[in-house]
Every structure is written in C-alpha cells, then in structure tokens.
Amino acid sequence: MSLRPNARTEVRRNRYKVAVDADEGRRRREDNMVEIRKSKREESLLKKRREGLQQFPTSTLQSLNVEKKLESLPSMIAGVWSDNNALQLEATTQFRKLLSIERCPPIEEVIQAGVVPQLHFEAAWALTNIASGTSDNTRVVIDHGAVPIFVQLLGSPSDDVREQAVWALGNVAGDSPRCRDLVLGHGAMGYGLKSLSTHVFCDLRVKNET
C-alpha cells in the first residue's frame, strides 16, 4: 500500500522527531553523568581534606595558632607601655589570654618581651585604686588574696612595682586596725624594710661610684 505525499512527509517528520528526541535524551544523560562525576569528585576531595585535618597533630595545630598570635606581640607590647588606659587594658587582657593557652603557652617569649614588670605595675595600680575606696572596696581586694601578693611585690626589681605595692598595702592598712594587722601579719613590715634597705644600699653605692 503506497502512501500519499502528505502521509510520507508526516512519517519522515515523525522519524526525524524521534531521532532528535533520542539525541536530546542522550545529551541530557551525558550532562547528568558529568554532573554526577563532578559531584562525586568534589565529595572525595572534601573527604580527603577532612581526613587530613583529623590526622594533623593537635599539638601542631596549637603551635601554629600560638605562632599566629605571637605575630601581634609587638602591638601588645606597645599597648602595655601606652599612656592610654584602654590600650593598656586591652593589651594586658591579650597577654593574659596568650598565657592561658593550655598546651605550651609562650611564657618565655612574653618574659623576653620585657613586659612582666609593667604587667605587675598595671595590675598593682588598678588594685591600689580599688583599695583606696570605701571599706567595702578594700574588703574586695583583701578577699581576693591581694595582700600577700602585694607583700611579695615589695621585693620586685622594678621601682614602679615596689612603689605601687607600698601604696596598695598602705591603702589596705589605713582602712582599719584589723586591716592593718592583716597587712602586718603577712610580713609586710619585715619584707618592706628588707627591700628598702637593699635598694637604698644599691642607690648609695651607685651615687658613691659616680
């Protein structure tokens, strides 16, 4: 049975459409396979990165973290020695956090930076001001165990630190007879006289030599 021209044209059109649909479907499948392979490759890379981090020693990670923090050491030192109270507080807080690292805190690096006397001085100065307030304020300083620490600071090699320790102990002792006895009970008198005689002797020797 022969087909009319219009029927033959329709058959060819349908066959062409089927071929086009097949090609389009094949291209879509190929695109999907490419996307799937790409997704799997990215997942594999991400998994390897995670495994690499898990295998990375914790101590090494902490060491890198410490080294990164030490990069800001110069600005921290400048802050401690600054005349700006806000910068001093911020820098002192940064040093406290740096020295509070659980594993291998950079204690030696901080000591070598020469800021320990200044940290003592700033802390002593702050507590001296608190102790100069009301009796309740002075009690806060006492209750937090500052008196024996101030007594120890009387032997500091730093003149500024020793002076602040004397001021602080004087503020505490001057609050009441009970506070005075507390200061004396921690050996402030003997420690202070010993420290005073030592440094006065050193000052006299320097003056005589010059």
Side-chain angles (χ1 to χ4, degrees), residues 74-207:
S75 62
M76 292 164 62
I77 295 172
V80 168
W81 291 99
S82 171
D83 292 331
N84 186 306
N85 291 336
L87 289 178
Q88 288 176 354
L89 176 60
E90 180 182 355
T92 303
T93 302
Q94 289 177 345
F95 273 111
R96 190 260 301 164
K97 291 181 178 179
L98 185 63
L99 294 170
S100 298
I101 295 174
E102 185 176 355
R103 290 178 176 270
C104 302
I107 297 174
E108 191 60 33
E109 288 84 348
V110 173
I111 293 175
Q112 293 299 323
V115 296
V116 173
Q118 186 66 5
L119 291 174
H120 280 168
F121 175 70
E122 296 299 336
W125 193 350
L127 292 175
T128 299
N129 289 339
I130 295 174
S132 67
T134 65
S135 295
D136 289 338
N137 299 148
T138 305
R139 173 53 58 182
V140 171
V141 174
I142 294 172
D143 290 344
H144 283 79
V147 172
I149 297 175
F150 282 131
V151 173
Q152 292 178 8
L153 291 179
L154 291 174
S156 170
S158 168
D159 292 340
D160 290 335
V161 173
R162 288 197 310 277
E163 181 181 1
Q164 282 304 317
V166 170
W167 274 108
L169 291 171
N171 286 342
V172 173
D175 185 72
S176 67
R178 184 176 179 181
C179 291
R180 177 201 61 203
D181 294 341
L182 176 67
V183 171
L184 294 176
H186 282 285
M189 181 66 73
Y191 213 128
L193 290 174
K194 180 180 178 181
S195 175
L196 179 63
S197 62
T198 299
H199 292 288
V200 167
F201 174 76
C202 290
D203 291 341
L204 289 174
R205 186 175 63 182
V206 170
K207 289 179 180 178

Side-chain angles (χ1 to χ4, degrees), residues 13-27:
R13 184 182 296 114
N14 290 338
R15 288 176 179 173
Y16 175 75
K17 183 177 180 181
V18 170
V20 170
D21 289 345
D23 290 341
E24 181 65 22
R26 186 166 54 253
R27 279 195 295 271

